[in-house]
Amino acid sequence: MMPILETIRAYLGWCPVKGQVHRQVQAGSGMRGGTPDDGRRRVGGVSMKIDFIVKEELWRSIGAVYWVSFLTIGYLTLSGYLPISISYAFSLALIPTVAHFLIMVWYRRKENLVDPNPASILRHALGFERQSEKRTEQRRAIVEKAVDAALLVTIFLIYIYASLAYSISQVYWLPVLIVISLFLARIVFTDGGVQRVTVARSVVFYLIAAGFLLLRHLALGHPVLLYLRGIVLVGIVAFPILYVWERRRTPEGTD
């Protein structure tokens, strides 16, 4: 008999507290958090504390689930879908009520869910919360890339405008090119703070960088045919070497 009572007490979250020792736990905000401080009861001269999840689900089960189940079973019985007496509805309604209570207590304890809102629990069970976090990270990465691209284009346009309007020294093209290359490398080779250097990304980086070089020469009125030939030649020589190098690295498990 005693093991059964101990099991029931453990499931309901009853915890004996001796003397004047009091555990104070503050509830965290959101779905996850610690156990809030609930009311205590005196049982056999010992101060006991019931699990707040059990109390919430018990009230929900008695106040809502039982009566919804009762009305549903009563309607099905009166409509002839269940060939039983209407008096059985009172006892049959306990089955979904108890099942709901046990499942919700088990799941909320397992996932440490503090928020008793059924919609929040359902969203967590369906994985919408994790998907929302993933979408937030993706949107943040897209925004970062968009900001880098806007800064890159702005710096390039300022340089072109200053070169045409004020005839600044072309020595300034070197630091401008370095800054543009840094922003472009972040856009092409970085995903969510992780660097991914591959042949395909390198080709994209090279083509975009070459496009900026050609645009500069066109805007300043310089001949571009010689530079275009040089860009093509460098690409033909460099990328086969880079491809072979990446293929040798692939078995080692690196990108």
Side-chain angles (χ1 to χ4, degrees), residues 31 104 107 113 117-129:
M31 283 292 295
M104 293 299 292
Y107 184 75
L113 302 182
N117 190 340
S120 300
I121 298 173
L122 181 62
R123 288 180 63 243
H124 183 275
L126 295 177
F128 290 163
E129 182 180 5

Side-chain angles (χ1 to χ4, degrees), residues 148-178:
D148 289 342
L151 291 174
L152 185 154
V153 173
T154 301
I155 293 172
F156 180 75
L157 292 178
I158 291 175
Y159 167 78
I160 295 297
Y161 175 79
S163 298
L164 296 176
Y166 301 103
S167 300
I168 63 173
S169 175
Q170 294 307 303
V171 175
Y172 294 106
W173 171 242
L174 180 60
V176 171
L177 180 61
I178 294 175

Side-chain angles (χ1 to χ4, degrees), residues 3-254:
I4 296 178
L5 293 176
E6 292 298 330
T7 302
I8 295 175
R9 287 184 177 182
Y11 184 81
L12 294 178
W14 290 74
C15 306
V17 181
K18 298 180 180 179
Q20 299 180 354
V21 178
H22 299 282
R23 186 180 62 178
Q24 298 179 353
V25 183
Q26 296 180 348
S29 60
M31 283 292 295
R32 297 177 179 271
T35 305
D37 191 14
D38 297 310
R40 302 180 185 274
R41 296 183 181 182
R42 300 289 300 184
V43 179
V46 181
S47 179
M48 313 290 281
K49 179 181 176 182
I50 192 169
D51 188 350
F52 77 102
I53 292 179
V54 173
K55 294 170 68 175
E56 291 173 350
E57 295 304 328
L58 184 62
W59 283 112
R60 196 205 313 270
S61 299
I62 296 175
V65 178
Y66 176 81
W67 294 109
V68 171
S69 302
F70 171 76
L71 293 176
T72 302
I73 295 174
Y75 172 79
L76 295 176
T77 301
L78 295 177
S79 300
Y81 294 104
L82 293 178
I84 59 175
S85 174
I86 188 64
S87 60
Y88 288 103
F90 291 96
S91 57
L92 290 178
L94 291 173
I95 298 176
T97 302
V98 174
H100 172 271
F101 173 76
L102 296 176
I103 292 174
M104 293 299 292
V105 170
W106 168 78
Y107 184 75
R108 288 184 61 187
R109 281 180 173 178
K110 182 175 72 73
E111 297 296 329
N112 193 25
L113 302 182
V114 174
D115 189 355
N117 190 340
S120 300
I121 298 173
L122 181 62
R123 288 180 63 243
H124 183 275
L126 295 177
F128 290 163
E129 182 180 5
R130 293 183 290 272
Q131 294 176 5
S132 178
E133 294 176 355
K134 185 176 180 180
R135 287 194 296 267
T136 301
E137 294 178 357
Q138 292 176 347
R139 286 196 296 267
R140 185 183 298 112
I142 293 174
V143 170
E144 291 178 353
K145 288 181 181 292
V147 171
D148 289 342
L151 291 174
L152 185 154
V153 173
T154 301
I155 293 172
F156 180 75
L157 292 178
I158 291 175
Y159 167 78
I160 295 297
Y161 175 79
S163 298
L164 296 176
Y166 301 103
S167 300
I168 63 173
S169 175
Q170 294 307 303
V171 175
Y172 294 106
W173 171 242
L174 180 60
V176 171
L177 180 61
I178 294 175
V179 174
I180 290 176
S181 300
L182 293 175
F183 278 112
L184 185 58
R186 285 184 56 181
I187 296 172
V188 176
F189 295 117
T190 304
D191 283 334
V194 179
Q195 291 187 350
R196 305 181 185 277
V197 182
T198 62
V199 173
R201 292 173 183 261
S202 300
V203 171
V204 173
F205 176 86
Y206 184 76
L207 292 177
I208 297 176
F212 277 104
L213 291 173
L214 293 177
L215 286 175
R216 171 182 176 271
H217 283 79
L218 286 173
L220 299 180
H222 298 164
V224 298
L225 184 59
L226 181 61
Y227 287 97
L228 184 59
R229 290 176 179 175
I231 290 171
V232 173
L233 180 61
V234 171
I236 292 174
V237 174
F239 285 109
I241 299 174
L242 183 61
Y243 175 77
V244 174
W245 174 70
E246 186 185 30
R247 294 288 294 180
R248 290 183 176 180
R249 291 183 61 202
T250 302
E252 301 176 4
T254 56

